[in-house]
Amino acid sequence: MDTLRQDLKFGFRTLLKNKGFTIVAVVTLALAIGANTAIFTIVNAVLLRPMPVSDPQSLVILGDPNHVHGRSAGTPRVEVFSYLLYAGLSDVPEVFSSAYAAGDIRRLTVATESNDPGKPARGRFVTGKYFSTLGVTPAIGRFFGDAEADMNNPTPVAVISHNYWLRQFAGDPSVVGRTVRMSNYPVTIIGVAREGFDGEISAESQDVWIPMSMQPQLVSGTDWTKDPRISWLQVMARLKPGVSREQAAAAVNVKFRQMLKGDYAAKLSKQDLDDIPKENIRVESGLRGFSASRSALMRPMVLLMIIVGLVLVMACTNISNMLLARSSSRTREIALRVAIGAKPWRVIRQLITESVLLAFIGGLAGLAVAQWGTRLLLRWVTQRFSSIAIDTAPDGYVLAFAAALCLITGLLFGLVPALRASKIELTQILGQTNRVSAAHGSRGVFTVGNLLIAAQFAVSMLVITAAGLLVRSLYNLQDVDLGYPRERLIVMKTDPMVVGYDQDRLKQMAKDLPQAIKLIPGVEQAAVSENGLFSGTESGTSMDAEGFAANGDADRQAAFDNIGAGYFKTIGARFLLGRDFDERDNEGKTPVTIVNESFANFYFRNRNPIGHKITVPADDGTKRVFEIVGVVKDVRDHSVRDKVERRFYLPMAVNNISPISILNFEIRTVGDPSAVTDAVRQRMKEIAPGLPVVGVQTIDELASREVFKESMLARLSGMFGVLALVLAAVGLYGLMSYMVVQRTKEIGIRLALGAQRSQILGGIVKRAMILAMTGVAIGVPIALLSGHAMKTVLYEVGAGDPLSLIGSMLILASVAVMASLLPAMNAIRVDPADVLRYE
């Protein structure tokens, strides 16, 4: 320990003595380690961090851990659950000690004063065993249990989170027992959750938990707990000691098969029983909780970790080269230490200690860079995932990652220079000047320093090409033809479920509001749809097309949408065959449908679909037959990237609207859409008072949200590509500058013998270009391989995209020229007389 303390003291003195070198190295390391730590902070929070609950290893999730905030009305689902399905599956006492279900409260408002209109809050309906299953304790007050959550005797109580308590009630302990209005319903707060527990959804922060029994009171006119066709709950259970996840999955699926033959099945139609998914219900680890963003962010985060890891490798090679150059100035010092008895391993340990010390100093600076980088990254992430809430303060995992990164980095860039420096000949202390070692300063091509520079350019080629591919992919996605003009088209979303509209009132509003909006100055057309454009909701069903023989259930699946009059005219979709809906269709005497191009091509191939029939199952188990009256060109209404789904459209006036739907009003304006937004909102209040407007956005804004991953990847990879270029340029500049200093005598003699300055200049630049192009040549096949590995995140861009590859080569060649020009210019300024005089 004393020896280590001595090495650290000596290392500190050495670094302070060489301030220029230390500052450059620390800044380089801070940027590289900070970038890696910033990305890891998000990866940790979203993908790795266990839930802050008791024994999270024994928790399991029933269904899909990534299917959060989803809601379905129709055929029962097995990735999310209805309350009745949860009630049956949670009662498996041989494998579960307890279980709970939880579901979102849409647009919850909390009013703390009598004249307070209420502020938005994030809330969850939960069953009575929610807190006990998770094993969390209250900070103050108590939690509710089965008694308050009794479906036959609902109790208006709530528990709030610690963050919400501090934010909304300033940490006042008297909040327990206080009655507030939640969505205009009086509810008593009975407890505050402990600090650090914000719910079971990773990287999201909940404000309020309310008993499931209160759902019919807080969501007017609906009772989802009695409807087996409304799937909206996430389910988690705690395994009994000694029970494995595989045993639990087997028991749950046995129970599920029994339910499909018992009382639960009696509540479903024959069509539901035919269509209910036949696959087994998943039982997944609950260690990290549910996540709405995990599946979407997994691939881009892993890719970014690889890219920033490569940038760190470049930083290490840069500093390694700097240390190699610096070691020549320490030749006499190291040789003297060997002469007085120091063993080679002792010299190596001292030099590696200095390297690791330097890495940790850079790492401390990198934590500050990471905090800034994490906030920047979060701003981009929350553009798409608005509910995401990540604590950017470094936790134990982040600090351990940063510490390990510093240690590995210090060893990585310090080992080669330390090994080189330890191979000292004692004759070097006998009056000789500090000449550069043969390994680093010779004019040979295959020196350590030259190889490190070539390696930097190889990595730069990889990083910049990857960035180029991602940017090109983003450009292609942003330029995708949606099948309708984007300009002057906005979508207004409303949530009629919150105010409890029945079918008659829904249909009347869907008819009246577009007509009223069209009368607003500046509005050209308006229409309504159930799923609309990029709404995040989808409807699908099994169906049969006349004259088509299905090869399996997948062939019978198609998406559908309920639309109002003038929908296709409003969005600008083009008819290929047939006609649009008109007034005669609203009478419902002859049920009709319009299909998209993909639907027509799949089911009718070379036949004309007009006049043919499709058969769709109804909720009551009967069959409904629709006549095709039109074929519309495919439009991208749900995804910019994915293949257009087979879709048919039904007139909203004669078809029921889903009770959980968010209605979408499409509005085509004459001029700037923002000029009519306020007027549209005002007309909404007049026609449908109390109906909440969820949002008003242009199609460009909605489409941009769909390419969020690609946009984030392109931005960050471009940023890291620039950083890689800077590191490559600095490394090459340092090597060329050092080479010029070491060859000052030679250059002076050559000039004295008549060599042209342009020859000297060209020789230095040529040497730099050889190093750079050697690295590029090595990097090209690696970049091609990485392009193939990235194909799942690219769109209409091949791994060998010539624009990306040639552009990267030209950029690196330009960097090599610019990085070598300044040292070359310094070389040709040498005065031969001065050089010969000193020699």
Side-chain angles (χ1 to χ4, degrees), residues 491-568:
V491 177
M492 177 177 66
K493 299 180 182 181
T494 64
D495 193 353
M497 179 191 66
V498 172
V499 290
Y501 280 14
D502 59 20
Q503 284 292 325
D504 290 338
R505 192 168 182 186
L506 270 175
K507 290 181 180 179
Q508 191 61 46
M509 181 198 68
K511 178 182 178 182
D512 293 343
L513 195 54
Q515 295 298 326
I517 291 173
K518 280 196 286 187
L519 298 177
I520 297 173
V523 173
E524 182 180 325
Q525 294 289 337
V528 64
S529 61
E530 188 170 336
N531 293 310
L533 306 173
F534 304 109
S535 65
T537 65
E538 179 64 290
S539 300
T541 187
S542 60
M543 45 72 61
D544 292 293
E546 184 180 356
F548 178 81
N551 292 323
D553 289 342
D555 282 356
R556 300 176 61 242
Q557 293 298 315
F560 73 90
D561 200 359
N562 283 323
I563 62 173
Y567 173 76
F568 296 114

Side-chain angles (χ1 to χ4, degrees), residues 819-834:
S820 59
L821 269 178
L822 187 56
M825 294 299 292
N826 289 335
I828 63 175
R829 292 193 188 101
V830 171
D831 187 341
D834 289 341

Side-chain angles (χ1 to χ4, degrees), residues 15 21-37 311-320 322-323 354-367 369-370 405-406 408-410 412-413 723 727:
L15 293 176
F21 163 80
T22 303
I23 291 171
V24 172
V26 167
V27 170
T28 301
L29 289 169
L31 290 173
I33 293 175
N36 277 268
T37 306
V311 171
L312 181 62
V313 170
M314 289 190 64
C316 290
T317 57
N318 236 3
I319 298 174
S320 185
M322 292 165 62
L323 287 172
E354 292 177 17
S355 300
V356 172
L357 178 61
L358 181 62
F360 272 92
I361 294 172
L364 289 175
L367 287 177
V369 174
L405 206 60
C406 292
I408 294 169
T409 299
L412 194 61
F413 70 70
L723 182 56
L727 290 174

Side-chain angles (χ1 to χ4, degrees), residues 4 18 49 147 231 298 359 392 436 455 488 557 570 609 669 698 710 716 734 751 813:
L4 177 61
N18 298 272
R49 184 181 293 164
S231 305
M298 172 79 78
T392 59
V436 65
R488 300 181 288 104
Q557 293 298 315
T570 299
T669 65
T698 67
E710 290 81 2
L716 289 174
L751 289 172

Side-chain angles (χ1 to χ4, degrees), residues 1 26 48 67 82 101 133 177 193 239 242 315 442 446 464 508 533 551 583 605 625 680 721 738 743 751 758-759 837:
M1 186 59 69
V26 167
L48 303 177
H67 204 107
S82 67
T133 299
L239 296 175
S442 73
F446 299 107
I464 297 167
Q508 191 61 46
L533 306 173
N551 292 323
E583 287 300 322
R605 303 194 186 278
V625 179
V680 168
Y738 186 75
R743 295 177 59 192
L751 289 172
S758 59
Q759 292 176 321
R837 184 182 309 118

Side-chain angles (χ1 to χ4, degrees), residues 334-350:
I334 294 170
L336 182 60
R337 295 182 66 186
V338 172
I340 60 176
K343 301 294 185 184
W345 66 264
R346 183 69 182 82
V347 173
I348 293 173
R349 192 177 81 175
Q350 170 63 51

